[in-house]
Amino acid sequence: MKAAVADTLESLESYRLKDVDMPAAGPGQVLIRVAACGVGYVDSLVALGRYQVKPPVPHTPGQEVAGTVEAVGEGVAHLAPGDRVMTMTGKGFADYAVAAAPMVVKLPDALSFAEGASLPLNYITAMHALKDRGVVAEGETVLVFGAAGGVGSAAIQVGKALGARVIAAASTEEKRAFALAHGADLAIDTSPEGWRDRLKTLTEGKGPNVILDPVCGPLFEPAFRSLAWRGRHLVVGFVGGPIPALPSNLTLMKGAALLGVDVRQYLQYETKRAIGDLHQLAQWASEGKIKPPVGRVYPFAEFGEAMVFALSGQGTGKVVLKIAGD
């Protein structure tokens, strides 16, 4: 079969499509014929060895897979060959991938393979952030930075499913319109001058209860200062540039919390909860409460261009690599 492989993490140009041995489903595993694979900012960082944990080489990127079950290993009873599924696994930039059976769920009829490949990582991140770390309650206001990106757009829909009022923060009119079209109640720009006053107006002087922040850019401190009493600022990532600092006395003045959201360790240490999140998300998708927005779709041969674009942060929705026909 074909797979994108690199023997070094020096650059994205190191990756090539190569013929490799086809994997097999062992006990408790599922072999999936990959139809689509999500491509995120983190995938590109991992491929370059710039993420928290460097992968061993040779490395094949891709961790969000949607496709058709080809075979199941011993002990797998909830799936059968031919089932349409989505999952989180490794080595997704390939014709076939193996996944642990508990993390493989049936793809709702309402979702295409491209949408299925856009769901797992971003939406589990949003669920862990808003439900577990932010403990969002019905009627609260959630401010989402990077609202047109993969995690941001997922957070909009998860926030709405949890009963929150969602304000989308994005840098351009196009991105704000995208966020509104995908469920946000209100939108705000990210121009620093007068930004806190504009946010105060949108929140009727109260400020947001929860901030989901995969950017942590120039508005990091102004946003924290704008929180309502007992507010929660969720740190998801740092795509906004240098890692910012925060005066610790602000947490006392606001009775507020600064909380880290690390989905990698969540998946590692709380696997059963993450699996439960994926099942809940699949149910919400079946009910029409969430629908992953697909951004640019690239053919398999253009996986390099897909990773470059995902790294740029310029798009809206999820970048997807189309491996096989839908």
Side-chain angles (χ1 to χ4, degrees), residues 301-325:
E302 296 178 13
F303 69 88
E305 289 89 337
M307 286 197 291
V308 169
F309 187 71
L311 194 61
S312 74
Q314 295 177 358
T316 54
K318 184 76 173 188
V319 179
V320 173
L321 196 61
K322 185 176 181 180
I323 308 293

PDB file of all heavy atoms in Angstrom, residues 301-325:
ATOM      1  N   ALA A 301      -1.928  12.640  -3.100  1.00  0.00           N
ATOM      2  CA  ALA A 301      -0.609  12.982  -3.641  1.00  0.00           C
ATOM      3  C   ALA A 301      -0.137  14.363  -3.206  1.00  0.00           C
ATOM      4  O   ALA A 301       1.059  14.665  -3.267  1.00  0.00           O
ATOM      5  CB  ALA A 301      -0.645  12.901  -5.165  1.00  0.00           C
ATOM      6  N   GLU A 302      -1.055  15.220  -2.739  1.00  0.00           N
ATOM      7  CA  GLU A 302      -0.697  16.582  -2.342  1.00  0.00           C
ATOM      8  C   GLU A 302      -0.666  16.735  -0.819  1.00  0.00           C
ATOM      9  O   GLU A 302      -0.955  17.798  -0.274  1.00  0.00           O
ATOM     10  CB  GLU A 302      -1.676  17.583  -2.963  1.00  0.00           C
ATOM     11  CG  GLU A 302      -1.619  17.616  -4.483  1.00  0.00           C
ATOM     12  CD  GLU A 302      -2.631  18.583  -5.099  1.00  0.00           C
ATOM     13  OE1 GLU A 302      -3.206  19.407  -4.354  1.00  0.00           O
ATOM     14  OE2 GLU A 302      -2.849  18.507  -6.322  1.00  0.00           O
ATOM     15  N   PHE A 303      -0.296  15.653  -0.120  1.00  0.00           N
ATOM     16  CA  PHE A 303      -0.261  15.684   1.343  1.00  0.00           C
ATOM     17  C   PHE A 303       0.691  16.750   1.870  1.00  0.00           C
ATOM     18  O   PHE A 303       0.453  17.352   2.927  1.00  0.00           O
ATOM     19  CB  PHE A 303       0.120  14.305   1.900  1.00  0.00           C
ATOM     20  CG  PHE A 303       1.531  13.909   1.619  1.00  0.00           C
ATOM     21  CD1 PHE A 303       2.562  14.255   2.472  1.00  0.00           C
ATOM     22  CD2 PHE A 303       1.841  13.173   0.471  1.00  0.00           C
ATOM     23  CE1 PHE A 303       3.874  13.881   2.215  1.00  0.00           C
ATOM     24  CE2 PHE A 303       3.140  12.798   0.194  1.00  0.00           C
ATOM     25  CZ  PHE A 303       4.169  13.159   1.065  1.00  0.00           C
ATOM     26  N   GLY A 304       1.790  16.995   1.156  1.00  0.00           N
ATOM     27  CA  GLY A 304       2.754  18.015   1.583  1.00  0.00           C
ATOM     28  C   GLY A 304       2.144  19.396   1.583  1.00  0.00           C
ATOM     29  O   GLY A 304       2.302  20.167   2.546  1.00  0.00           O
ATOM     30  N   GLU A 305       1.415  19.736   0.512  1.00  0.00           N
ATOM     31  CA  GLU A 305       0.743  21.029   0.432  1.00  0.00           C
ATOM     32  C   GLU A 305      -0.300  21.162   1.531  1.00  0.00           C
ATOM     33  O   GLU A 305      -0.495  22.241   2.103  1.00  0.00           O
ATOM     34  CB  GLU A 305       0.088  21.206  -0.938  1.00  0.00           C
ATOM     35  CG  GLU A 305       1.056  21.412  -2.085  1.00  0.00           C
ATOM     36  CD  GLU A 305       1.509  20.094  -2.718  1.00  0.00           C
ATOM     37  OE1 GLU A 305       1.450  19.041  -2.041  1.00  0.00           O
ATOM     38  OE2 GLU A 305       1.927  20.126  -3.884  1.00  0.00           O
ATOM     39  N   ALA A 306      -0.979  20.047   1.843  1.00  0.00           N
ATOM     40  CA  ALA A 306      -1.989  20.063   2.906  1.00  0.00           C
ATOM     41  C   ALA A 306      -1.343  20.396   4.247  1.00  0.00           C
ATOM     42  O   ALA A 306      -1.886  21.191   5.038  1.00  0.00           O
ATOM     43  CB  ALA A 306      -2.700  18.715   2.972  1.00  0.00           C
ATOM     44  N   MET A 307      -0.178  19.810   4.553  1.00  0.00           N
ATOM     45  CA  MET A 307       0.492  20.087   5.822  1.00  0.00           C
ATOM     46  C   MET A 307       0.998  21.521   5.892  1.00  0.00           C
ATOM     47  O   MET A 307       0.921  22.167   6.943  1.00  0.00           O
ATOM     48  CB  MET A 307       1.642  19.096   6.038  1.00  0.00           C
ATOM     49  CG  MET A 307       1.177  17.694   6.412  1.00  0.00           C
ATOM     50  SD  MET A 307       2.487  16.665   7.150  1.00  0.00           S
ATOM     51  CE  MET A 307       3.556  16.417   5.738  1.00  0.00           C
ATOM     52  N   VAL A 308       1.493  22.029   4.771  1.00  0.00           N
ATOM     53  CA  VAL A 308       1.961  23.417   4.741  1.00  0.00           C
ATOM     54  C   VAL A 308       0.800  24.369   5.010  1.00  0.00           C
ATOM     55  O   VAL A 308       0.909  25.324   5.794  1.00  0.00           O
ATOM     56  CB  VAL A 308       2.624  23.743   3.386  1.00  0.00           C
ATOM     57  CG1 VAL A 308       2.868  25.247   3.253  1.00  0.00           C
ATOM     58  CG2 VAL A 308       3.936  22.987   3.244  1.00  0.00           C
ATOM     59  N   PHE A 309      -0.344  24.113   4.366  1.00  0.00           N
ATOM     60  CA  PHE A 309      -1.500  24.993   4.548  1.00  0.00           C
ATOM     61  C   PHE A 309      -2.043  24.900   5.971  1.00  0.00           C
ATOM     62  O   PHE A 309      -2.402  25.908   6.578  1.00  0.00           O
ATOM     63  CB  PHE A 309      -2.601  24.657   3.541  1.00  0.00           C
ATOM     64  CG  PHE A 309      -3.750  25.634   3.564  1.00  0.00           C
ATOM     65  CD1 PHE A 309      -3.590  26.916   3.076  1.00  0.00           C
ATOM     66  CD2 PHE A 309      -4.972  25.267   4.098  1.00  0.00           C
ATOM     67  CE1 PHE A 309      -4.638  27.829   3.113  1.00  0.00           C
ATOM     68  CE2 PHE A 309      -6.025  26.167   4.135  1.00  0.00           C
ATOM     69  CZ  PHE A 309      -5.860  27.449   3.637  1.00  0.00           C
ATOM     70  N   ALA A 310      -2.088  23.697   6.532  1.00  0.00           N
ATOM     71  CA  ALA A 310      -2.560  23.538   7.907  1.00  0.00           C
ATOM     72  C   ALA A 310      -1.665  24.288   8.888  1.00  0.00           C
ATOM     73  O   ALA A 310      -2.138  24.844   9.877  1.00  0.00           O
ATOM     74  CB  ALA A 310      -2.623  22.064   8.271  1.00  0.00           C
ATOM     75  N   LEU A 311      -0.376  24.321   8.599  1.00  0.00           N
ATOM     76  CA  LEU A 311       0.581  25.008   9.463  1.00  0.00           C
ATOM     77  C   LEU A 311       0.437  26.526   9.382  1.00  0.00           C
ATOM     78  O   LEU A 311       0.754  27.244  10.327  1.00  0.00           O
ATOM     79  CB  LEU A 311       2.007  24.599   9.087  1.00  0.00           C
ATOM     80  CG  LEU A 311       3.138  24.943  10.053  1.00  0.00           C
ATOM     81  CD1 LEU A 311       2.929  24.274  11.407  1.00  0.00           C
ATOM     82  CD2 LEU A 311       4.481  24.540   9.458  1.00  0.00           C
ATOM     83  N   SER A 312      -0.082  27.009   8.262  1.00  0.00           N
ATOM     84  CA  SER A 312      -0.179  28.461   8.039  1.00  0.00           C
ATOM     85  C   SER A 312      -1.246  29.129   8.888  1.00  0.00           C
ATOM     86  O   SER A 312      -1.166  30.320   9.187  1.00  0.00           O
ATOM     87  CB  SER A 312      -0.478  28.739   6.564  1.00  0.00           C
ATOM     88  OG  SER A 312      -1.834  28.436   6.243  1.00  0.00           O
ATOM     89  N   GLY A 313      -2.284  28.379   9.278  1.00  0.00           N
ATOM     90  CA  GLY A 313      -3.380  28.956  10.047  1.00  0.00           C
ATOM     91  C   GLY A 313      -4.246  29.910   9.264  1.00  0.00           C
ATOM     92  O   GLY A 313      -5.023  30.680   9.838  1.00  0.00           O
ATOM     93  N   GLN A 314      -4.177  29.868   7.952  1.00  0.00           N
ATOM     94  CA  GLN A 314      -4.902  30.827   7.116  1.00  0.00           C
ATOM     95  C   GLN A 314      -6.302  30.369   6.740  1.00  0.00           C
ATOM     96  O   GLN A 314      -7.125  31.176   6.318  1.00  0.00           O
ATOM     97  CB  GLN A 314      -4.099  31.096   5.831  1.00  0.00           C
ATOM     98  CG  GLN A 314      -2.765  31.771   6.081  1.00  0.00           C
ATOM     99  CD  GLN A 314      -1.969  31.957   4.792  1.00  0.00           C
ATOM    100  OE1 GLN A 314      -2.401  31.545   3.720  1.00  0.00           O
ATOM    101  NE2 GLN A 314      -0.814  32.572   4.909  1.00  0.00           N
ATOM    102  N   GLY A 315      -6.573  29.090   6.873  1.00  0.00           N
ATOM    103  CA  GLY A 315      -7.838  28.571   6.372  1.00  0.00           C
ATOM    104  C   GLY A 315      -8.968  28.659   7.374  1.00  0.00           C
ATOM    105  O   GLY A 315      -8.815  29.107   8.513  1.00  0.00           O
ATOM    106  N   THR A 316     -10.139  28.237   6.931  1.00  0.00           N
ATOM    107  CA  THR A 316     -11.298  28.101   7.807  1.00  0.00           C
ATOM    108  C   THR A 316     -11.716  26.627   7.793  1.00  0.00           C
ATOM    109  O   THR A 316     -11.665  25.971   6.757  1.00  0.00           O
ATOM    110  CB  THR A 316     -12.471  28.968   7.319  1.00  0.00           C
ATOM    111  OG1 THR A 316     -12.757  28.669   5.940  1.00  0.00           O
ATOM    112  CG2 THR A 316     -12.140  30.450   7.429  1.00  0.00           C
ATOM    113  N   GLY A 317     -12.124  26.121   8.954  1.00  0.00           N
ATOM    114  CA  GLY A 317     -12.491  24.720   9.034  1.00  0.00           C
ATOM    115  C   GLY A 317     -11.283  23.816   9.024  1.00  0.00           C
ATOM    116  O   GLY A 317     -10.139  24.248   9.170  1.00  0.00           O
ATOM    117  N   LYS A 318     -11.530  22.523   8.819  1.00  0.00           N
ATOM    118  CA  LYS A 318     -10.478  21.509   8.908  1.00  0.00           C
ATOM    119  C   LYS A 318      -9.910  21.169   7.539  1.00  0.00           C
ATOM    120  O   LYS A 318     -10.651  20.917   6.582  1.00  0.00           O
ATOM    121  CB  LYS A 318     -11.077  20.236   9.528  1.00  0.00           C
ATOM    122  CG  LYS A 318     -10.078  19.120   9.769  1.00  0.00           C
ATOM    123  CD  LYS A 318      -9.223  19.405  10.980  1.00  0.00           C
ATOM    124  CE  LYS A 318      -8.326  18.213  11.326  1.00  0.00           C
ATOM    125  NZ  LYS A 318      -7.639  18.405  12.591  1.00  0.00           N
ATOM    126  N   VAL A 319      -8.605  21.153   7.437  1.00  0.00           N
ATOM    127  CA  VAL A 319      -7.945  20.666   6.231  1.00  0.00           C
ATOM    128  C   VAL A 319      -8.056  19.142   6.217  1.00  0.00           C
ATOM    129  O   VAL A 319      -7.841  18.483   7.229  1.00  0.00           O
ATOM    130  CB  VAL A 319      -6.460  21.085   6.198  1.00  0.00           C
ATOM    131  CG1 VAL A 319      -5.789  20.538   4.936  1.00  0.00           C
ATOM    132  CG2 VAL A 319      -6.327  22.605   6.256  1.00  0.00           C
ATOM    133  N   VAL A 320      -8.405  18.596   5.051  1.00  0.00           N
ATOM    134  CA  VAL A 320      -8.621  17.143   4.933  1.00  0.00           C
ATOM    135  C   VAL A 320      -7.833  16.594   3.759  1.00  0.00           C
ATOM    136  O   VAL A 320      -7.789  17.198   2.686  1.00  0.00           O
ATOM    137  CB  VAL A 320     -10.126  16.821   4.763  1.00  0.00           C
ATOM    138  CG1 VAL A 320     -10.335  15.334   4.477  1.00  0.00           C
ATOM    139  CG2 VAL A 320     -10.894  17.216   6.013  1.00  0.00           C
ATOM    140  N   LEU A 321      -7.246  15.428   3.970  1.00  0.00           N
ATOM    141  CA  LEU A 321      -6.562  14.699   2.922  1.00  0.00           C
ATOM    142  C   LEU A 321      -7.490  13.581   2.434  1.00  0.00           C
ATOM    143  O   LEU A 321      -7.900  12.725   3.228  1.00  0.00           O
ATOM    144  CB  LEU A 321      -5.262  14.104   3.469  1.00  0.00           C
ATOM    145  CG  LEU A 321      -4.209  13.615   2.459  1.00  0.00           C
ATOM    146  CD1 LEU A 321      -3.735  14.757   1.593  1.00  0.00           C
ATOM    147  CD2 LEU A 321      -3.039  12.995   3.219  1.00  0.00           C
ATOM    148  N   LYS A 322      -7.837  13.615   1.170  1.00  0.00           N
ATOM    149  CA  LYS A 322      -8.719  12.593   0.611  1.00  0.00           C
ATOM    150  C   LYS A 322      -7.862  11.433   0.108  1.00  0.00           C
ATOM    151  O   LYS A 322      -7.120  11.558  -0.850  1.00  0.00           O
ATOM    152  CB  LYS A 322      -9.560  13.153  -0.532  1.00  0.00           C
ATOM    153  CG  LYS A 322     -10.587  12.180  -1.078  1.00  0.00           C
ATOM    154  CD  LYS A 322     -11.462  12.823  -2.157  1.00  0.00           C
ATOM    155  CE  LYS A 322     -12.502  11.848  -2.666  1.00  0.00           C
ATOM    156  NZ  LYS A 322     -13.361  12.441  -3.715  1.00  0.00           N
ATOM    157  N   ILE A 323      -7.973  10.294   0.787  1.00  0.00           N
ATOM    158  CA  ILE A 323      -7.157   9.131   0.456  1.00  0.00           C
ATOM    159  C   ILE A 323      -7.838   8.266  -0.609  1.00  0.00           C
ATOM    160  O   ILE A 323      -7.222   7.793  -1.551  1.00  0.00           O
ATOM    161  CB  ILE A 323      -6.878   8.280   1.711  1.00  0.00           C
ATOM    162  CG1 ILE A 323      -6.299   9.150   2.835  1.00  0.00           C
ATOM    163  CG2 ILE A 323      -5.955   7.118   1.369  1.00  0.00           C
ATOM    164  CD1 ILE A 323      -4.939   9.708   2.578  1.00  0.00           C
ATOM    165  N   ALA A 324      -9.145   8.050  -0.439  1.00  0.00           N
ATOM    166  CA  ALA A 324      -9.906   7.226  -1.386  1.00  0.00           C
ATOM    167  C   ALA A 324     -11.273   7.855  -1.595  1.00  0.00           C
ATOM    168  O   ALA A 324     -11.640   8.834  -0.954  1.00  0.00           O
ATOM    169  CB  ALA A 324     -10.051   5.799  -0.858  1.00  0.00           C
ATOM    170  N   GLY A 325     -12.053   7.296  -2.502  1.00  0.00           N
ATOM    171  CA  GLY A 325     -13.367   7.846  -2.826  1.00  0.00           C
ATOM    172  C   GLY A 325     -14.314   7.781  -1.649  1.00  0.00           C
ATOM    173  O   GLY A 325     -14.223   6.905  -0.797  1.00  0.00           O
TER     174      GLY A 325
END
